[in-house]
Structures are given as structure tokens and as C-alpha cells.
Amino acid sequence: QVQLVESGGGLVQAGDSLRLSCAASGRTFSSYGMSWFRQAPGKEREFVAGTNWRGDSTYYADSVKGRFTISRDNTKNTMYLQMNSLKPEDTAIYYCAAVVGMPPMTWRVYNYWGQGTQVTVSS
């Protein structure tokens, strides 16, 4: 019931900012918890940030706390990930994902995934 499409990735310099968007279709979008994951070359997929359906409860991986902000606008059916002070180690494909209820950090339980958007941060 949910289709997800990410956008906003690109190639930037260290210290720059990017804002990723995840556009969702489907009437039940506001009922889903949402998260961002990322996968770097040769690495396992890792949790980045998550938010409940209201957007009033958020949590982050330690590696991005203080730099990334997750948010959602249910009137626009869109999730966002504001990424500031980007580092080369942030380079990865970023995916948005949706699950019924609270969003866990385990990728295998998510019901819906976007196609991913590439973020590359150069030194």
C-alpha cells in the first residue's frame, strides 16, 4: 500500500549539506513508522535514523547524531533527511523504508523500500 521514491543525493565536499527526500504514495502513509538506512561499498546495511508516524519521536545512529535530522510531513506524504557536516564516511546509498508501527533498527522487518539514492562525500 506504500510506494517510496528517494531523491536528493549527489556528490558533495566534506562539510557540505544535503537534504534527502522520500516521496510516498498511498493513503496509509501516516500509519507507518519510517527510517533511513544506508549501505556503503563492502559494508552491511545500517540504520541511520527513524521516526514514528507522528514525527514526534526520532532516534539516530550514534555516527550521525548532531549532524542529521529526520522529519516527515504527512500532508505532503514526504520524509526528509537533512544531512549537515557531511564526512567521507557518510558515502553510501541511502534508502528510505516503511513499516507498520514503530520503526526498529533491524532492516529485515521493513515492509517497503525505496530504490535508494547515492550520496558521495569527497575529502
Side-chain angles (χ1 to χ4, degrees):
Q1 294 182 338
V2 178
Q3 305 294 324
L4 307 173
V5 179
E6 301 97 334
S7 62
L11 195 158
V12 298
Q13 299 285 341
D16 285 352
S17 297
L18 280 175
R19 189 192 193 195
L20 305 183
S21 298
C22 177
S25 62
R27 291 187 51 165
T28 60
F29 172 76
S30 62
S31 299
Y32 287 79
M34 299 287 296
S35 292
W36 289 94
F37 288 81
R38 67 186 182 186
Q39 189 164 18
K43 304 293 185 180
E44 294 185 342
R45 192 179 310 178
E46 66 173 342
F47 174 83
V48 177
T51 182
N52 68 342
W53 70 273
R54 296 186 186 91
D56 60 355
S57 179
T58 60
Y59 49 101
Y60 300 87
D62 289 340
S63 59
V64 305
K65 286 181 179 178
R67 300 189 297 120
F68 290 11
T69 303
I70 187 172
S71 62
R72 66 192 298 170
D73 186 344
N74 290 340
T75 66
K76 299 180 179 179
N77 289 342
T78 303
M79 285 279 303
Y80 303 98
L81 185 67
Q82 179 66 46
M83 304 185 294
N84 298 328
S85 301
L86 283 163
K87 305 174 181 179
E89 51 262 45
D90 295 319
T91 295
I93 301 175
Y94 284 72
Y95 301 91
C96 65
V99 68
V100 175
M102 293 296 294
M105 292 183 283
T106 302
W107 65 268
R108 284 174 285 184
V109 305
Y110 283 78
N111 303 110
Y112 304 100
W113 293 86
Q115 83 288 349
T117 185
Q118 177 70 49
V119 173
T120 302
V121 185
S122 63
S123 300

